[in-house]
Amino acid sequence: MTDAPPPPRDALTEEISATLGQLRLLIGRRLLGRVAVATVAPGLELSALDVLNLVPPEDAAGDTTVAEVTVGDVARGLRVDPSRASRLVADLVDKGLLSRAVSQADARRSILYRTAFAERIVAEIRRLKHEVIAEITADWQPDEVTVFADLFARFVAGWDCRLAGRDPETAPAAQPAPASAAG
């Protein structure tokens, strides 16, 4: 008995497209973020989670292996204009979730760090995400989880390159976000 030929690439592309639509609806509701915010910081805007995801924790201050993050970096990371990023950051500083420091590389630059309060929110979201992913993949073989993680990361990195107008073949490898806070 011979194996059936794989479905045509167009059919697979359509299946991926449909699955992405379903995933967008699931993620678009930001249920994990909502649960974490309700538990740790009621009233916090969900957009704050996106910013927290881009900014390193305070205990990384002075660590030369951790990139300094500025308001401009937040704007680029969120793909919003600098004035919107500046307002988001100012609000999070006022709420005690972010702190500002002077860059050690260039004293003219103001850099951002997550506070201990923000770390509690990030940790709760990370815990919830890990719990959900572990539950969904509980009956998967370890090699299936490995292959999925690799291919999913590659797919998302390719998408990011496409949106940024970079060639995925020549772009540097995607780095994971510091905290995976976006819920």
Side-chain angles (χ1 to χ4, degrees), residues 38-101:
T39 302
V40 182
L44 185 66
E45 295 285 329
L46 288 174
S47 60
L49 302 179
D50 299 323
V51 177
L52 296 179
N53 190 42
L54 297 172
V55 178
E58 282 178 326
D59 62 12
D63 182 344
T64 58
T65 64
V66 176
E68 294 182 342
V69 175
T70 65
V71 172
D73 296 322
V74 170
R76 283 185 292 283
L78 297 180
R79 293 181 171 88
V80 298
D81 63 86
S83 63
R84 169 80 172 129
S86 182
R87 288 190 303 274
L88 286 168
V89 166
D91 184 52
L92 296 178
V93 169
D94 289 346
K95 290 181 172 156
L97 292 163
L98 292 180
S99 64
R100 295 180 193 263

Side-chain angles (χ1 to χ4, degrees), residues 6-161:
R9 191 154 181 109
D10 286 347
L12 294 172
T13 299
E14 181 54 37
E15 185 177 342
I16 292 168
S17 177
T19 303
L20 282 174
Q22 186 178 3
L23 181 63
R24 183 192 59 78
L25 290 173
L26 293 169
I27 291 173
R29 294 183 185 118
R30 303 200 63 176
L31 296 177
L32 295 176
R34 290 178 194 280
V35 170
V37 165
T39 302
V40 182
L44 185 66
E45 295 285 329
L46 288 174
S47 60
L49 302 179
D50 299 323
V51 177
L52 296 179
N53 190 42
L54 297 172
V55 178
E58 282 178 326
D59 62 12
D63 182 344
T64 58
T65 64
V66 176
E68 294 182 342
V69 175
T70 65
V71 172
D73 296 322
V74 170
R76 283 185 292 283
L78 297 180
R79 293 181 171 88
V80 298
D81 63 86
S83 63
R84 169 80 172 129
S86 182
R87 288 190 303 274
L88 286 168
V89 166
D91 184 52
L92 296 178
V93 169
D94 289 346
K95 290 181 172 156
L97 292 163
L98 292 180
S99 64
R100 295 180 193 263
V102 175
S103 168
Q104 296 304 303
D106 181 351
R108 297 170 295 177
R109 291 174 12 128
S110 178
I111 56 175
L112 305 168
Y113 292 104
R114 287 191 310 256
T115 64
F117 177 42
E119 283 303 299
R120 289 198 309 273
I121 295 168
V122 168
E124 178 63 10
I125 293 169
R126 185 180 302 119
R127 185 193 68 73
L128 286 168
K129 281 183 176 181
H130 287 210
E131 184 179 292
V132 168
I133 292 167
E135 182 179 314
I136 291 168
T137 61
D139 62 345
W140 294 18
Q141 295 299 315
D143 61 323
E144 290 176 312
V145 177
T146 300
V147 168
F148 176 75
D150 290 344
L151 290 175
F152 193 61
R154 191 167 125 199
F155 180 82
V156 171
W159 194 335
D160 187 48
C161 283

Side-chain angles (χ1 to χ4, degrees), residues 1-5:
M1 183 166 141
T2 61
D3 290 332

